[in-house]
Amino acid sequence: MAFTEFRPLDEKSLIEYIKTVPALHSRLGNNLDDIKIKEVGDGNLNFVYIIVGPDGSFVIKQALPYIRCIGESWPMTKERAYFEAVALREQARLSPEHVPEVYHFDRTMSLIGMRYLEPPHIILRKGLIAGIEYPLLAEHISEFMARTLYFTSLLHRSTTEHKRAVAEFCGNVELCRLTEQVVFSDPYKVSEYNRWTSPFLDLEAEAVRKDNILKLEVAELKSKFCERAQALIHGDLHTGSVMVTRESTQVIDPEFAFYGPMGFDVGAFLGNLILAFFAQDGHADQAYDRKTYKAWILRTIEETWNLFRKKFIALWDEHKDGSGEAYLPAIYNNPELQLLVQEKFMDDLFHDTLGFGAAKMIRRIVGVAHVEDFESITDASRRADCELRALEVAKLLLKERRKFHAITEVISAIQKF
Amino acid sequence: MAFTEFRPLDEKSLIEYIKTVPALHSRLGNNLDDIKIKEVGDGNLNFVYIIVGPDGSFVIKQALPYIRCIGESWPMTKERAYFEAVALREQARLSPEHVPEVYHFDRTMSLIGMRYLEPPHIILRKGLIAGIEYPLLAEHISEFMARTLYFTSLLHRSTTEHKRAVAEFCGNVELCRLTEQVVFSDPYKVSEYNRWTSPFLDLEAEAVRKDNILKLEVAELKSKFCERAQALIHGDLHTGSVMVTRESTQVIDPEFAFYGPMGFDVGAFLGNLILAFFAQDGHADQAYDRKTYKAWILRTIEETWNLFRKKFIALWDEHKDGSGEAYLPAIYNNPELQLLVQEKFMDDLFHDTLGFGAAKMIRRIVGVAHVEDFESITDASRRADCELRALEVAKLLLKERRKFHAITEVISAIQKF
Ligand SMILES: Nc1ncnc2c1ncn2[C@@H]1O[C@H](COP(=O)(O)OP(=O)(O)O)[C@@H](O)[C@H]1O
Ligand SMILES: Nc1ncnc2c1ncn2[C@@H]1O[C@H](COP(=O)(O)OP(=O)(O)O)[C@@H](O)[C@H]1O
Ligand SMILES: [Mg+2]
Ligand SMILES: [Mg+2]
Ligand SMILES: [Mg+2]
Ligand SMILES: [Mg+2]
Ligand SMILES: [Mg+2]
């Protein structure tokens, strides 16, 4: 069988496909006897197959020309697989310990072959729901974010490299538009896709749609998202795009990658941790009251930001005489000024982080795609209670973000709700 | 003679070239007898020929692969002619009364044929030096800026259209880099290209290079210039890129065009009017004391901003239910919110305008390329006096720009120096 044209694979045709691709076939020791194939795509958009044989394993991810969880009625370019592959490779180059290796990419088939993150790797979100602590999570994810964002920004790149890369990722426009719609638009208007825990949050959902100050601030964030090509961002860095064990942290699924504002990634991650925090009261039971776990989540939020800040500045200091064109050494090579410039940069990034993080929280409560953290709380009234507190914090953070200057202030605010 | 490969033209080969191009030849009524050709490129970068015959006329602009005023030692892609042609056509489509028609573009030859802006059209900067009032200038230039900036922004465009255009103009990176260097970098460091009226401004030039707050603010502006794809900007909208008569205002020379921050254009124009204002005391003599002329310049600054603001908002209101994706009607279609959003947008744009305008003033006083407004003041001490006041205003506007909320406050500040 030849695969010269796109076609959706299934467990059966996948085997035929693997036979035609030495880079995959050889990963199984060229032995297709006794291999097991399992489709595990619990994600929203694509099909993911795990292929395990006696002599090796890998994962195949295929994009179909629509959004999986909605169906063919919501078309979506399968070219997203191309941008995912480019981003995966770039991120793996910059942060190899936290990104699965890409073994194979087939643009015609919109198909990526990559390392299988074996058990006990699980999706971080599921670990957070189960109440499992990950002692290295803050260290690892801050490393991933600091390195991928710093090295793809003008702090490290020349304008020439930057504009070439920006131009290429302008091609991922359909995925950008999806974000624009579901994060920055739908929650603030009546939309057929929106849902929330009804009737408990009916008034709150309406309040979001009627909140002029909130909508004013969301417009500013949306402009930044659409216009500001600051770094190659993952674009979908929630806790469902991270796979973890106690020792390992792996970032997957950068199909939304493009040159956008750094705060969108940092905010996505922290915002989803805040959601996880507020979901805990819905998971608590007599066997596990979640008190110390909630404290661990807050600590992880705090450490993630602080480590990110530290690592980002360390990279900046280390490479300040490098080829980055934003702050030329001949102008900024003066310790006092360097400090001033970095403080301002990180303060601005902190505000972006809070704004984008809050916007991502809001959309998970009153928009189209919800999070399992809350969805798994079966009692609707109890769930609504958790969601309501998260929503209130998010609105505060979004509107008042410029008043916050340290992550501890954010933690204090969270604790008040 | 064939022109299948690039080569620099001269008065003689230009005639051969015209013969091979019906779009040009026919503009002269296919009559090359008695035509006059004159090279008039007083600009910094390119060669410009005026071709006038008994039956018609046009202008030919050719880019050579270096910067004309420096020479072959400063190479610069001749592909800039391509971006100039694309921008000219786009701007002519959006503001046909204020942009010369493009008759012909030859990418191989990096050559544009366009309407000859006949006498009495002169370069605005020369008119300002001569002390001539242009009663329609504010009206016209505000129209040009409002229309070209509004219609190429996400206020009017879809993300899909926007990203396609952004990607294309990423190709004009060499010209962007030139601006980065001469506007945002060189004036703030020791550079072989910098010059100033020495010895009078020696200390001031050094003060610019040592001013940490100024350099902090310039870094923010530079980031915005490099990262924020807000609209198709002209990129070089000083008073030397505008040709005028009392009745007509024509914008030429958009070779620096790319998707950047709107305030860079508005600021370039207003900043250069402020320079013209401070040069007047150097031009004043007993025959013409320039007092009423200075008042006219200030009035023109005020009117340009106010008319720009009014026209921009009028376009926004007129098209608010259109296809622009920044502010969806379903979210922002509420008069109170619309007002709030527009006030914030224009306030931010005002601050960008002051910041970029000030940066463009500073670079004309202590950077590589100076303006004829000052250069034509032959007495160095008198010139330095004018430049010093302009420099002080510029530093104030750049550092304190966020404190200004109306153009009248800027006018008052200017009058204090
Ligand atoms: N490299 C991998 N190793 C193991 N499991 C994976 C891998 N990539 C994806 N998965 C599984 O597939 C699911 C969906 O993958 P994901 O890339 O998030 O797809 P989608 O874009 O549809 O969200 C993940 O939640 C995870 O369970
Ligand atoms: N369409 C035109 N009609 C008349 N004169 C023109 C025209 N275009 C350019 N010029 C003259 O040529 C000069 C240089 O043109 P310009 O486009 O500014 O070149 P540069 O990019 O080298 O600055 C202008 O200052 C003006 O005097
Ligand atoms: Mg996913
Ligand atoms: Mg790995
Ligand atoms: Mg995905
Ligand atoms: Mg010019
Ligand atoms: Mg020019």
Side-chain angles (χ1 to χ4, degrees), chain A residues 154 159-160 163 166-167 170 173 176-177 180 184-185 188-189 212-213 215-216 218-220 222-223 226-230 258 325-328 330-332 334 336-337 340-341 344, chain B residues 154 159-160 163 166-167 170 173 176-177 180 184-185 188-189 212-213 215-216 218-220 222-223 226-230 258 325-328 330-332 334 336-337 340-341 344:
Chain A
L154 282 165
T159 297
T160 308
K163 289 224 190 280
V166 169
C170 278
V173 55
C176 292
R177 295 193 72 190
E180 286 172 38
F184 301 106
S185 298
Y188 306 94
K189 65 198 252 298
N212 281 359
I213 301 301
K215 287 153 84 169
L216 181 71
V218 166
E220 177 172 327
K222 183 178 175 185
S223 286
C226 296
E227 293 171 354
R228 184 159 190 204
Q230 196 180 20
F258 78 114
E325 290 193 336
Y327 297 87
L328 300 183
I331 305 176
Y332 295 95
N334 140 2
E336 194 189 329
L337 178 56
L340 211 61
V341 157
K344 178 164 157 47
Chain B
L154 282 164
T159 296
T160 308
K163 290 226 190 278
V166 169
C170 278
V173 56
C176 292
R177 293 193 74 191
E180 286 171 40
F184 300 107
S185 299
Y188 306 94
K189 65 198 251 300
N212 281 358
I213 300 303
K215 287 153 84 170
L216 181 72
V218 166
E220 176 172 329
K222 184 178 175 186
S223 285
C226 295
E227 295 172 351
R228 185 163 189 202
Q230 194 179 22
F258 78 114
E325 290 191 336
Y327 297 87
L328 300 183
I331 305 175
Y332 294 94
N334 140 2
E336 196 190 327
L337 177 56
L340 212 58
V341 156
K344 178 164 156 47

Side-chain angles (χ1 to χ4, degrees), chain B residues 45-46 61 236 253 255-256:
Chain B
L45 266 68
N46 304 287
K61 179 171 180 178
D236 198 24
D253 196 12
E255 65 189 321
F256 285 82

Side-chain angles (χ1 to χ4, degrees), chain A residues 40-48 50 59 61 68 84 100 114-118 121 123 126 236 238 240-241 243 252-255:
Chain A
V40 295
D42 63 340
N44 291 321
L45 265 67
N46 304 287
F47 288 81
V48 176
I50 292 173
V59 153
K61 178 170 179 178
R68 178 183 186 167
E84 177 163 355
M114 71 183 112
R115 179 187 153 201
Y116 170 40
L117 301 165
E118 320 79 0
H121 277 103
I123 286 289
K126 292 191 189 286
D236 199 23
H238 55 79
S241 295
M243 295 191 74
I252 61 170
D253 197 13
E255 65 190 321

Side-chain angles (χ1 to χ4, degrees), chain B residues 112-168:
Chain B
I112 299 169
M114 69 183 114
R115 181 188 150 200
Y116 171 39
L117 300 166
E118 321 79 2
H121 277 104
I122 60 168
I123 286 290
L124 171 58
R125 193 185 297 285
K126 292 189 188 288
L128 292 165
I129 293 166
I132 305 168
E133 294 187 15
Y134 296 96
L136 298 177
L137 177 62
E139 177 72 32
H140 288 168
I141 199 77
S142 62
E143 178 89 4
F144 170 84
M145 295 192 300
R147 294 185 63 87
T148 57
L149 298 177
Y150 172 80
F151 283 111
T152 60
S153 77
L154 282 164
L155 291 171
H156 193 259
R157 288 230 180 112
S158 71
T159 296
T160 308
E161 298 166 310
H162 186 71
K163 290 226 190 278
R164 195 185 20 71
V166 169
E168 165 151 46

Side-chain angles (χ1 to χ4, degrees), chain B residues 8-60:
Chain B
L9 294 177
D10 56 27
E11 272 88 345
K12 204 156 149 261
S13 53
L14 190 53
I15 298 193
E16 298 309 309
Y17 181 80
I18 292 166
K19 284 185 191 158
T20 69
V21 181
L24 294 176
H25 203 185
S26 65
R27 286 273 161 195
L28 301 172
N30 298 312
N31 171 9
L32 290 179
D33 307 335
D34 300 323
I35 68 162
K36 288 207 181 73
I37 298 193
K38 201 176 147 201
E39 208 281 317
V40 295
D42 62 341
N44 291 322
L45 266 68
N46 304 287
F47 288 80
V48 176
Y49 300 89
I50 293 173
I51 296 91
V52 181
D55 301 318
S57 65
F58 52 81
V59 153
I60 293 288

Side-chain angles (χ1 to χ4, degrees), chain A residues 189-255:
Chain A
K189 65 198 252 298
V190 174
S191 160
E192 52 172 320
Y193 300 109
N194 289 344
R195 52 191 193 81
W196 52 83
T197 302
S198 188
F200 306 96
L201 295 189
D202 288 0
L203 287 178
E204 278 70 20
E206 197 190 346
V208 166
R209 295 194 301 269
K210 289 199 166 155
D211 188 332
N212 281 359
I213 301 301
L214 195 63
K215 287 153 84 169
L216 181 71
E217 293 296 343
V218 166
E220 177 172 327
L221 292 167
K222 183 178 175 185
S223 286
K224 231 174 223 177
F225 180 81
C226 296
E227 293 171 354
R228 184 159 190 204
Q230 196 180 20
L232 178 61
I233 66 173
H234 179 285
D236 199 23
L237 194 53
H238 55 79
T239 50
S241 295
V242 181
M243 295 191 74
V244 285
T245 68
R246 276 184 66 89
E247 293 80 29
S248 161
T249 306
Q250 304 291 327
V251 178
I252 61 170
D253 197 13
E255 65 190 321

